[in-house]
Amino acid sequence: SSGGRGGASASRDVASSPVLRRPSARGSSGAINGSEPAPFAGSPGGLDITRLLAGLQRGAIPGAETNLSFLCSKFSALAERLRSAEREQEEASDKWSRLEAELQFEQVEQQVERAPIEAETRVASEEAAALAQDLCKAEAQEQ
């Protein structure tokens, strides 16, 4: 979106710039007005970056400053989003660590609470088994 930054008109300005104009059927050399080769001619990607950068440095590309400002603001917004996402990830990691430590503490606390109860249960079971054995012996002697 142009966002009021002149994106649409800047695109038209850049597209009509002699530095960025595509070669036409003027000849096999791709020259514009017979002077120098077109920026798209002869480049593997179709764009002569050297001429583009030279045009930007000379200020010969209409709307370049607007486009550059737009790209800088986009980059700044993306950088801020990245920093925010990194902060959120760090906060989530810290929360995970706290919850993990809390869980381990709760598990140890449960074991501490359960150990005496389990010991009492074992003793009671052993006593019940001993009483049952004594009862069987007593019944056997009565007969």
Side-chain angles (χ1 to χ4, degrees), residues 122-138:
R122 274 193 304 275
V123 168
S125 293
E126 290 170 0
E127 287 177 358
L131 286 175
Q133 196 175 29
D134 289 345
L135 181 61
C136 285
K137 284 180 186 177

Side-chain angles (χ1 to χ4, degrees), residues 2 5-17 20 61-64 66-67 70:
S2 65
R5 293 180 180 90
S9 67
S11 296
R12 279 193 305 275
D13 292 342
V14 171
S16 65
S17 167
L20 295 178
I61 300 177
T66 303
N67 287 340
F70 172 74

Side-chain angles (χ1 to χ4, degrees), residues 3 9 12 23 25 31 33 41 75 98 114 116 128 139-140:
S9 67
R12 279 193 305 275
N33 298 330
F75 177 79
R98 281 192 317 272
R114 202 172 36 231
E139 287 178 353

Side-chain angles (χ1 to χ4, degrees), residues 44-85:
L47 180 62
D48 186 350
I49 299 297
T50 307
R51 288 192 55 207
L52 178 60
L53 290 174
L56 284 170
Q57 289 172 345
R58 287 191 313 265
I61 300 177
E65 195 65 37
T66 303
N67 287 340
L68 186 59
S69 296
F70 172 74
L71 291 174
C72 286
S73 68
K74 278 296 198 184
F75 177 79
S76 296
L78 288 172
E80 179 55 35
R81 283 178 57 192
L82 176 63
R83 284 190 293 272
S84 176

Side-chain angles (χ1 to χ4, degrees), residues 28-42:
S28 61
S29 69
I32 299 173
N33 298 330
S35 59
E36 48 190 48
F40 293 95

